[in-house]
């Protein structure tokens, strides 16, 4: 890896692949036209958007006209929750383990006179589907369930969630920022009305995302202006970012099977080896788990100290997530699976990419037992 660090924090962000950066470069300095311009430089930019939109649509199994480019996973999540909000009295149903991009947006729904319901998960992070069914009602306009959790890697049964939503006349949205390219998703087969994804979690650039919205869905914009992106997301398109996202999607989809197998192998080697450390336990499930996620807790250890000790040894990991700055509060995800605050604060998250090497895994597994011993208080 470039920095000489063994990087195991790929759920926080990933390296932009050199091929992706290279594909973007001409769109800064040569083909910098506005896609809405009529001249040839505008047409070149519009053509680049068309190509990237087709890449994303092919990866999800939808039409290019159903893809909106956004500024990232967060904005896509905001669009799903606020863009379909029918006004005061509307209720959104979601899970207790969503990313803050969903949970905080539900707070905004409540401030606008709506309501929200959080469905609990079991000790491995799987959504309680009967609780979801019971929570439904005429006032529910949207069910939003993440495809896979960013902290503990649990893969949710989104097909079943979509079915339940539709039985009760609600729309179904999934935050697939972590799951996209690491699990099998087809929006038509799975009955998904809206889906969020992000460039920088799949080796694309930061600040670019996509939003799938099924044609005919009753949705209004949350950003107003020049009417770009089918009127749903005004602002001059981030052409280099969109080109980078399209390239990252093409690369990820063409290598998906092999990459998943490699990451699964590394993940299982890490889990098996770490569980031999006294006082170590796995958070999240053994099966139906993201191929790149391993998450642990260590009795009597402060997760933050462990992250710093590993960092001194050239290994980059995290505790629960990197999504809220600071990390001084126990993660809501770990509370939701029933961990005590003390257990939550002893967490360590290892998230892989296909770029990780066996030698890096060796290094992690070599330095971790000593780091745990050193940090045990
Ligand atoms: C990272 C992440 C987001 C936010 O995506 P950004 O592109 O950083 O805005 C949303 N949901 C999940 C599950 C994530 O992991």
């Amino acid at each position: 890896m470039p920095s000489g660090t063994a990087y195991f924090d790929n759920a926080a962000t990933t390296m932009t692949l050199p091929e992706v950066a290279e594909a973007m470069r001409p769109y800064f300095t040569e083909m910098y036209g506005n896609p809405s311009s009529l001249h040839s430089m505008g047409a070149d930019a519009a053509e680049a958007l068309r190509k990237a939109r087709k890449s994303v649509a092919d990866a999800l199994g939808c039409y290019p006209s159903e893809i909106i480019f956004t500024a990232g996973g967060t904005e896509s999540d905001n669009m799903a929750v606020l863009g379909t909000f029918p006004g005061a009295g509307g209720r959104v149903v979601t899970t207790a383990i969503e990313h803050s991009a969903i949970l905080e947006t539900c707070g905004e729904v409540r401030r606008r006179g709506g309501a929200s319901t959080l469905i609990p998960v079991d000790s491995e992070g799987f959504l309680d589907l009967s609780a979801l069914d019971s929570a439904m009602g005429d006032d529910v306009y949207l069910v939003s369930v993440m495809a896979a959790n960013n902290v503990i890697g649990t893969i949710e049964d989104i097909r079943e969630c979509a079915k339940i939503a539709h039985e009760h006349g609600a729309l179904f949205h999934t935050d697939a920022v972590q799951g996209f390219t690491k699990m099998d998703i087809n929006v038509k087969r799975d009955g998904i009305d809206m889906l969020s994804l992000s460039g920088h979690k799949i080796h694309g650039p930061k600040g670019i995302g996509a939003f799938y919205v099924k044609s005919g869905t009753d949705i209004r914009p949350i950003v107003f202006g020049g009417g770009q992106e089918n009127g749903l997301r005004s602002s001059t398109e981030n052409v280099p970012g969109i080109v980078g996202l399209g390239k990252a999607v093409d690369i990820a989809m063409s290598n998906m099977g092999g990459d998943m197998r490699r990451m699964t192998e590394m993940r299982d080697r890490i889990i098996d080896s770490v569980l031999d450390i006294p006082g170590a336990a796995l958070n999240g499930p053994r099966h139906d788990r993201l191929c790149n996620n391993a998450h642990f807790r260590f009795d009597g250890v402060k997760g933050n100290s462990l992250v710093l000790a590993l960092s001194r040894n050239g290994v980059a990991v995290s505790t629960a997530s990197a999504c809220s700055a600071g990390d001084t509060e126990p993660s809501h995800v770990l509370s939701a699976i029933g961990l005590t605050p003390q257990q939550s604060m002893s967490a360590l998250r290892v998230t892989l990419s296909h770029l990780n090497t066996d030698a890096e895994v060796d290094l992690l597994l070599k330095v971790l037992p000593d780091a745990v011993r050193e940090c045990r208080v």
Side-chain angles (χ1 to χ4, degrees), residues 291-313:
C291 58
N292 73 329
N293 175 295
H295 196 274
F296 306 98
R297 60 181 189 273
F298 299 92
D299 282 347
V301 171
K302 278 251 178 293
N304 280 346
S305 319
L306 199 49
V307 169
L308 294 175
L310 289 171
S311 180
R312 286 192 291 275
N313 284 283

Side-chain angles (χ1 to χ4, degrees), residues 11-13 70-77 97-102 146-151 175-179 196-201 205-209 321 323 349:
T13 197
T70 65
T74 300
E75 188 185 310
S76 297
D77 283 347
I97 60 168
E98 293 298 311
H99 190 273
S100 52
I102 290 289
M146 65 200 327
N149 184 262
N150 52 306
V151 179
D175 175 340
V177 170
Q178 293 292 336
S196 304
L197 62 88
S198 173
H200 75 101
K201 305 288 176 77
K206 295 170 180 62
I208 189 73
S321 74
C323 305
R349 183 180 71 178

Side-chain angles (χ1 to χ4, degrees), residues 218-361:
D218 187 11
I219 184 166
R220 276 139 295 127
I222 59 170
V223 175
F224 298 87
Q228 288 89 347
E229 297 296 290
N230 228 347
L232 270 180
R233 206 278 182 171
S234 290
S235 181
T236 302
E237 297 87 344
N238 174 0
V239 178
I242 291 168
V243 167
L245 173 61
K247 183 76 178 175
V249 168
D250 285 344
I251 294 172
M253 293 309 288
S254 64
N255 302 327
M256 186 168 152
D259 286 350
M260 282 181 66
R261 270 192 298 281
R262 250 191 61 67
M263 287 189 275
T264 303
E265 260 170 43
M266 289 190 282
R267 177 199 71 187
D268 289 343
R269 184 152 82 89
I270 291 167
I271 291 177
D272 290 337
S273 169
V274 170
L275 290 181
D276 284 340
I277 299 174
L282 182 69
N283 296 325
R286 209 52 228 240
H287 300 287
D288 290 320
R289 176 179 201 117
L290 278 179
C291 58
N292 73 329
N293 175 295
H295 196 274
F296 306 98
R297 60 181 189 273
F298 299 92
D299 282 347
V301 171
K302 278 251 178 293
N304 280 346
S305 319
L306 199 49
V307 169
L308 294 175
L310 289 171
S311 180
R312 286 192 291 275
N313 284 283
V315 175
V317 295
S318 70
T319 52
S321 74
C323 305
S324 27
D327 261 354
T328 49
E329 292 288 306
S331 152
H332 67 283
V333 175
L334 300 178
S335 306
I337 62 169
L339 297 194
T340 65
Q342 201 173 10
Q343 286 174 320
S344 296
M345 297 309 280
S346 76
L348 188 77
R349 183 180 71 178
V350 178
T351 46
L352 301 161
S353 104
H354 68 279
L355 297 173
N356 284 119
T357 63
D358 291 327
E360 290 174 328
V361 174

